[in-house]
Amino acid sequence: MEQYIIKGGKALAGEVTIGGAKNAALGILAAAVMTDEPVVIENLPDIRDINVMLQTMENIGAKVERLDRHSVRMCSGNISCMNVENEYIRKIRGSYYLIGALLGKYKQAQVALPGGCNIGSRPIDQHIKGFEALGAVVKIQYGLIQAEAKHLTGSHIYFDMVTVGATINVMLAAVLAEGLTILENAAKEPHIVDVANFLNSMGANIKGAGTDVIRIKGVPKLHGSTYSIIPDQIEAGTFMLVAAATKGDVTIKNVIPKHLEAITAKLEEIGVQVEEFDDSIRVVATKRLGHTQVKTLPYPGFPTDMQPQISTLLVISEGTSIVTEGVFENRFKYVDELAKMGASIRVEGTTAIIDGVDLLTGAIVSAPDLRAGAALVIAGLVAEGYTVVEQVEYIERGYEDFESKLCELGAVMEKIDANDEKAVRKFKLKAC
Ligand code: EPZ
């Protein structure tokens, strides 16, 4: 098991370049199996969830050729097995997009129930509702989701709640269905638009992605494509929060500022200076920041995947702030870890009441999930003394080269083996 050891207190400064969006890439990789022609995907993030997905697609017969660290060529003409079941695939969330893709193309799919961050119950009833509306028979048994259909026919589907996963999954199942599918109450995240744009580049007929009504006219088949994934909105937002929390001056490159508007607005509200350029954003904080209220909502609201990070920033801001988690039921597991560092947070249901403190002090903390892990790193970067963040494998699911990007901005941190006492001593000596 690896861990980060961090010596806090430094203002981070410099430039960081953002990678491709994890939550777009997972849907796009699944969509790539829907054509027998070669597909080239560029700007893929080199992170564990993506590598697990690529391995899984090879396991079912897709030919995957790494062109460079961030590009692959895939050929799915030889897919023979519709049964996606391996120990790794159960650890990630995006595996379930293979149901929509395989069902859409082969009219059958059998995929292990999805894993992913433990931030709530995360049912898949809306995915199933959409598949069944298109004419599939769906069963959950032996830990697998089994879907099959003699024929897929377009349908008018109204999601009970805004769901990123179901919007993407049902869109995948509908692109080759006969006739028109209308998705109402659809999710509008940038990664939904990216998956739709990729499918349209393969010859699909999707209109309205990015709005709450998506219209999909089924087409007979899809052709190959070369496509580059959009920058990761949440990785960019995380580095914005790093700059703000450490009172730094960081220029974040390869971003789409529009995707960051909710984060920018909230940061400016509490006193952070944010300067937007065409494909970069500069974040500067020089003084103690103020308090505010945040409620996480589906896009274009404040992203739930930025909730642990903004809460950590508010822990060291002036006054009392309120953070309400509006998407998942159980996304405050990191609060106990922050309390070990001196934070004053009270959680009541899905709301956290945060009393700003002057100082956090280093401690040994454990990452409960991907974004909470990133938030604990932010806490370590501002705390006095040394912080050890355990379970960094969660963080590496969604952030490429996280510690080296932070070190390039001046962070004093290292990734070490959990049992390597010598490495801890060596780091502390070096960091003095
Ligand atoms: C995606 O999860 C992301 N994961 C999550 O990012 C992100 O937090 C979430 O969307 C919201 O933006 C991937 O894209 C791989 P949802 P997903 O379906 O699709 C309920 C990260 O850190 N719901 O939009 O699982 C659900 O319980 C991860 O990168 C149902 O009730 O999220 C939740 O309360 C964490 N039934 C809400 O809807 C369903 O069938 C939103 O879930 C589906 C969802």
Side-chain angles (χ1 to χ4, degrees):
M1 302 284 253
E2 293 181 306
Q3 57 193 15
Y4 292 143
I5 180 166
I6 306 165
K7 184 168 189 293
K10 270 198 76 180
L12 299 197
E15 291 186 350
V16 62
T17 299
I18 299 303
K22 164 176 87 80
N23 293 345
L26 290 163
I28 286 171
L29 288 177
V33 307
M34 298 187 78
T35 175
D36 292 343
E37 296 179 16
V39 168
V40 174
I41 309 288
E42 295 164 345
N43 202 32
L44 264 179
D46 181 12
I47 53 178
R48 212 184 72 185
D49 278 18
I50 295 303
N51 296 326
V52 166
M53 193 73 166
L54 289 169
Q55 181 60 55
T56 297
M57 300 169 86
E58 276 190 307
N59 291 353
I60 61 172
K63 202 160 141 292
V64 175
E65 186 193 345
R66 280 259 187 203
L67 304 176
D68 61 40
R69 186 179 181 194
H70 299 116
S71 310
V72 291
R73 177 184 290 113
M74 293 173 58
C75 240
S76 304
N78 299 330
I79 286 186
S80 50
C81 162
M82 305 312 146
N83 178 355
V84 182
E85 157 65 1
N86 66 48
E87 56 170 313
Y88 306 106
I89 205 71
R90 281 200 295 273
K91 291 197 171 65
I92 71 170
R93 189 96 199 140
S95 50
Y96 61 12
Y97 292 139
L98 286 168
I99 308 165
L102 295 172
L103 176 66
K105 183 179 178 191
Y106 299 103
K107 308 292 182 289
Q108 59 167 310
Q110 183 165 282
V111 179
L113 281 162
C117 291
N118 183 6
I119 50 181
S121 60
R122 306 184 83 176
I124 58 167
D125 56 299
Q126 300 299 301
H127 302 240
I128 293 170
K129 169 179 172 174
F131 297 148
E132 289 175 340
L134 296 170
V137 173
V138 184
K139 281 199 265 342
I140 293 183
Q141 49 189 15
Y142 312 113
L144 299 166
I145 307 157
Q146 298 164 334
E148 58 183 335
K150 287 194 181 54
H151 193 67
L152 290 174
T153 311
S155 177
H156 194 157
I157 299 158
Y158 199 104
F159 290 121
D160 298 353
M161 81 289 296
V162 175
T163 150
V164 166
T167 301
I168 290 177
N169 228 346
V170 180
M171 186 160 66
L172 291 168
V175 287
L176 297 171
E178 194 173 323
L180 175 66
T181 295
I182 300 174
L183 304 183
E184 301 261 13
N185 199 21
K188 302 184 274 195
E189 273 70 7
H191 27 290
I192 306 275
V193 178
D194 212 26
V195 175
N197 288 343
F198 171 62
L199 286 164
N200 283 340
S201 78
M202 293 162 77
N205 184 340
I206 303 170
K207 291 188 172 46
T211 74
D212 55 4
V213 182
I214 300 178
R215 309 171 84 84
I216 303 150
K217 272 209 188 104
V219 295
K221 67 183 287 211
L222 298 175
H223 53 71
S225 169
T226 294
Y227 193 81
S228 183
I229 289 171
I230 56 168
D232 193 308
Q233 167 203 34
I234 304 302
E235 185 192 12
T238 302
F239 278 96
M240 291 170 77
L241 273 280
V242 164
T246 62
K247 304 280 176 300
D249 179 348
V250 178
T251 297
I252 301 155
K253 299 166 72 177
N254 189 37
V255 301
I256 299 174
K258 171 124 191 80
H259 293 167
L260 305 170
E261 279 178 347
I263 304 163
T264 298
K266 203 39 83 173
L267 289 181
E268 288 178 331
E269 193 183 306
I270 60 175
V272 179
Q273 296 138 47
V274 181
E275 202 177 348
E276 290 183 359
F277 304 92
D278 287 348
D279 60 357
S280 64
I281 193 161
R282 183 179 175 198
V283 178
V284 181
T286 50
K287 59 185 180 14
R288 185 156 192 219
L289 301 170
H291 59 274
T292 184
Q293 292 72 41
V294 180
K295 176 163 188 178
T296 67
L297 288 167
Y299 190 84
F302 192 90
T304 175
D305 292 347
M306 287 296 303
Q307 182 261 92
Q309 300 93 312
I310 192 85
S311 297
T312 301
L313 176 64
L314 295 171
V315 156
I316 54 169
S317 299
E318 185 83 45
T320 298
S321 297
I322 309 281
V323 176
T324 303
E325 172 53 51
V327 177
F328 289 105
E329 310 90 55
N330 185 11
R331 198 162 199 174
F332 286 114
K333 286 207 291 293
Y334 62 92
V335 164
D336 293 344
E337 301 303 303
L338 285 179
K340 294 175 188 169
M341 302 175 73
S344 170
I345 309 184
R346 211 168 59 251
V347 176
E348 288 170 13
T350 57
T351 296
I353 299 104
I354 301 169
D355 295 320
V357 294
D358 298 338
L359 181 77
L360 288 179
T361 52
I364 297 175
V365 292
S366 185
D369 59 68
L370 163 56
R371 305 303 175 184
L376 293 174
V377 170
I378 293 174
L381 291 170
V382 302
E384 186 183 81
Y386 295 95
T387 297
V388 172
V389 179
E390 299 173 330
Q391 316 259 54
V392 299
E393 58 276 10
Y394 278 121
I395 300 172
E396 295 184 339
R397 287 188 48 204
Y399 291 96
E400 180 183 312
D401 297 340
F402 195 46
E403 80 276 4
S404 49
K405 287 185 178 182
L406 288 168
C407 289
E408 274 161 40
L409 293 173
V412 182
M413 71 185 281
E414 239 174 68
K415 181 162 71 171
I416 54 176
D417 180 280
N419 310 312
D420 187 348
E421 275 307 311
K422 209 152 87 5
V424 175
R425 280 197 303 280
K426 207 164 121 244
F427 172 84
K428 288 189 174 180
L429 279 174
K430 204 166 68 177
C432 288

